[in-house]
């Protein structure tokens, strides 16, 4: 089980809006550590999508947005496109006894 | 252009060792922490290890602590992962990733990632 919990899958039709949740605890997201999101297209390496909860790197469309509240974070994708079909991972830091970087289990986005 | 190229993967028997390398280019290597992240076939991402810019601080996942050793050579712009006592569950694609800051912990994210090198542990 991952320290950060994501739904295994989400789906949406082209043009729709989908959200992916990332739930943590008081030792990671709730402790104030930022959440970052990665997109992994089939057969490729992960790519940074959102950093610092809500910031987009250069080149990432503004259809992608992130937010954080309490012990959870969310990734929203609006105007869904076929090329958005990918796996999405959240990442943060955990300050518990085994302090280390933590990932969510990943969410498969299917564009219907 | 920032580029990370991993090498050293392959098929290895359980209990044996393997050393992965990551060649970095396109940025000032010794300004940034570096990490290894792995992905077992069909599974999610798992952080393995991180090292600060000057090797002064290092972290490991519990699953590899005591068996894996991360290191870097700033003169050669290279990152390494020495993997000993390998197990079947270490089978994965191992990615090298650049951190956004000089320390490996706290508010760290990864950009970019290399293409990965595949490690298969099997008899």
């Amino acid at each position: 089980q991952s320290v950060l919990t994501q739904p295994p899958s989400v789906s949406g039709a082209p043009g729709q809006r989908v959200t992916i949740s990332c739930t943590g605890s008081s030792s990671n997201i709730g402790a104030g550590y930022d959440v970052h999101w990665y997109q992994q297209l089939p057969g490729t390496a992960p790519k940074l999508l959102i950093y610092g909860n809500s910031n987009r790197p250069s080149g990432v469309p503004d259809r992608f947005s992130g937010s954080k509240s309490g012990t959870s974070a969310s990734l929203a994708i609006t105007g869904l496109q076929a090329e958005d079909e990918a796996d999405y991972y959240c990442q943060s830091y955990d300050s518990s006894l085994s302090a280390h970087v933590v990932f969510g289990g990943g969410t498969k986005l299917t564009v219907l | 252009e920032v580029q990370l190229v991993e090498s050293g993967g392959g098929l290895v028997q359980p209990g044996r060792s393997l050393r992965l390398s990551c060649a970095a280019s396109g940025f000032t290597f010794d300004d940034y922490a570096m990490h290894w992240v792995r992905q077992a076939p069909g599974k999610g991402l798992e952080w393995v290890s991180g090292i600060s810019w000057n090797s002064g601080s290092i972290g490991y996942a519990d699953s590899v602590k005591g068996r894996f050793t991360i290191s870097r050579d700033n003169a050669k712009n290279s990152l390494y992962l020495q993997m000993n006592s390998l197990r079947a569950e270490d089978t994965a694609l191992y990615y090298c990733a650049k951190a956004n800051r000089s320390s490996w912990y706290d508010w760290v994210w990864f950009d970019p990632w290399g293409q990965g090198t595949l490690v298969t542990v099997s008899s």
Side-chain angles (χ1 to χ4, degrees):
Chain A
Q1 293 88 340
S2 302
V3 173
L4 304 179
T5 301
Q6 298 180 234
S9 63
V10 298
S11 63
Q16 284 189 333
R17 177 181 187 270
V18 296
T19 62
I20 299 173
S21 61
C22 175
T23 302
S25 67
S26 58
S27 61
N28 41 70
I29 299 175
Y33 292 106
D34 287 344
V35 178
H36 321 291
W37 292 89
Y38 303 88
Q39 177 192 58
Q40 186 175 33
L41 297 169
T44 69
K47 168 194 163 187
L48 180 67
L49 197 62
I50 297 286
Y51 67 92
N53 304 317
S54 59
N55 301 289
R56 285 186 308 277
S58 174
V60 173
D62 59 6
R63 301 186 297 104
F64 295 90
S65 63
S67 63
K68 172 190 162 185
S69 178
T71 58
S72 296
S74 289
L75 172 71
I77 309 172
T78 59
L80 207 55
Q81 300 180 2
E83 55 262 38
D84 297 335
E85 188 160 292
D87 293 323
Y88 293 84
Y89 295 90
C90 61
Q91 175 250 312
S92 186
Y93 184 81
D94 192 286
S95 60
S96 62
L97 193 60
S98 302
H100 53 78
V101 175
V102 291
F103 284 96
T107 299
K108 169 67 177 179
L109 168 63
T110 300
V111 181
L112 302 171
Chain B
E1 178 196 4
V2 176
Q3 196 168 13
L4 301 171
V5 179
E6 302 94 336
S7 61
L11 174 63
V12 61
Q13 293 179 327
R16 303 298 291 267
S17 299
L18 205 60
R19 189 195 196 207
L20 306 184
S21 299
C22 171
S25 60
F27 65 101
T28 305
F29 184 70
D30 55 12
D31 276 352
Y32 296 94
M34 296 293 294
H35 293 255
W36 289 100
V37 178
R38 69 184 180 184
Q39 186 170 34
K43 302 297 184 182
L45 301 174
E46 179 189 16
W47 176 78
V48 173
S49 181
I51 185 169
S52 64
W53 68 281
N54 63 351
S55 305
S57 179
I58 286 173
Y60 296 99
D62 289 347
S63 58
V64 306
K65 198 173 295 182
R67 300 188 298 121
F68 290 12
T69 302
I70 191 172
S71 62
R72 63 190 296 163
D73 185 336
N74 288 345
K76 294 183 178 179
N77 287 352
S78 293
L79 175 72
Y80 306 101
L81 186 67
Q82 177 67 43
M83 305 186 295
N84 298 333
S85 303
L86 282 162
R87 306 166 179 167
E89 53 264 37
D90 296 319
T91 294
L93 188 60
Y94 284 73
Y95 293 104
C96 161
K98 171 184 167 290
N100 59 298
R101 58 203 300 258
S102 58
S103 55
W104 70 266
Y105 50 86
D106 290 343
W107 290 272
V108 65
W109 65 83
F110 307 127
D111 182 43
W113 301 54
Q115 287 306 301
T117 186
L118 182 62
V119 173
T120 303
V121 183
S122 174
S123 54

